[in-house]
Short mmCIF file of all heavy atoms in Angstrom, two decimals:
data_model
loop_
_atom_site.label_atom_id
_atom_site.label_comp_id
_atom_site.label_asym_id
_atom_site.label_seq_id
_atom_site.Cartn_x
_atom_site.Cartn_y
_atom_site.Cartn_z
N GLU J 48 -83.16 -32.45 -32.05
CA GLU J 48 -82.38 -31.26 -31.77
C GLU J 48 -82.14 -30.96 -30.28
O GLU J 48 -81.09 -30.63 -29.83
CB GLU J 48 -83.02 -30.05 -32.42
CG GLU J 48 -82.19 -28.73 -32.33
CD GLU J 48 -80.89 -28.83 -33.14
OE1 GLU J 48 -80.88 -29.38 -34.25
OE2 GLU J 48 -79.88 -28.37 -32.60
N SER J 55 -76.25 -26.85 -33.78
CA SER J 55 -75.49 -25.90 -32.95
C SER J 55 -74.10 -26.36 -32.59
O SER J 55 -73.24 -25.54 -32.29
CB SER J 55 -76.31 -25.60 -31.68
OG SER J 55 -76.41 -26.75 -30.86
N GLY J 85 -61.57 -25.96 -0.52
CA GLY J 85 -62.08 -27.36 -0.84
C GLY J 85 -63.44 -27.42 -1.31
O GLY J 85 -64.05 -28.45 -1.44
N LEU J 115 -82.70 -28.99 -10.92
CA LEU J 115 -82.25 -29.39 -9.62
C LEU J 115 -81.52 -30.73 -9.67
O LEU J 115 -80.50 -30.93 -9.09
CB LEU J 115 -83.49 -29.46 -8.63
CG LEU J 115 -84.05 -28.18 -8.13
CD1 LEU J 115 -85.44 -28.44 -7.52
CD2 LEU J 115 -83.17 -27.54 -7.08
N ASN J 182 -86.55 -20.22 -18.65
CA ASN J 182 -85.20 -20.62 -18.43
C ASN J 182 -84.92 -20.63 -16.93
O ASN J 182 -85.23 -19.64 -16.26
CB ASN J 182 -84.21 -19.66 -19.11
CG ASN J 182 -84.32 -19.71 -20.64
OD1 ASN J 182 -83.54 -18.98 -21.32
ND2 ASN J 182 -85.21 -20.52 -21.22
N GLU J 252 -81.85 -36.44 -1.03
CA GLU J 252 -81.15 -36.95 0.16
C GLU J 252 -80.64 -38.35 -0.02
O GLU J 252 -79.56 -38.70 0.45
CB GLU J 252 -82.13 -36.89 1.34
CG GLU J 252 -82.68 -35.46 1.69
CD GLU J 252 -81.62 -34.50 2.03
OE1 GLU J 252 -80.49 -34.88 2.41
OE2 GLU J 252 -81.87 -33.24 2.01
N SER J 279 -77.76 -44.94 -22.89
CA SER J 279 -76.88 -44.83 -24.04
C SER J 279 -75.76 -43.82 -23.76
O SER J 279 -74.58 -44.09 -24.08
CB SER J 279 -77.62 -44.39 -25.27
OG SER J 279 -78.37 -43.23 -25.01
N SER J 535 -81.93 -23.97 -27.16
CA SER J 535 -83.33 -24.20 -27.42
C SER J 535 -83.73 -23.61 -28.74
O SER J 535 -83.89 -22.37 -28.84
CB SER J 535 -84.22 -23.65 -26.29
OG SER J 535 -85.58 -23.85 -26.59
N ALA J 646 -85.66 4.32 -5.13
CA ALA J 646 -86.98 3.82 -4.71
C ALA J 646 -87.02 2.41 -4.31
O ALA J 646 -88.06 1.95 -3.75
CB ALA J 646 -87.99 4.05 -5.83
N GLY J 670 -81.08 6.93 -22.82
CA GLY J 670 -80.19 6.18 -23.71
C GLY J 670 -79.45 5.09 -22.95
O GLY J 670 -79.14 5.22 -21.82
N GLY J 683 -66.67 10.83 3.64
CA GLY J 683 -65.29 10.68 4.08
C GLY J 683 -64.45 9.78 3.22
O GLY J 683 -63.21 9.70 3.37
#
Side-chain angles (χ1 to χ4, degrees):
E48 185 65 42
S55 61
L115 285 165
N182 294 180
E252 301 299 343
S279 56
S535 177

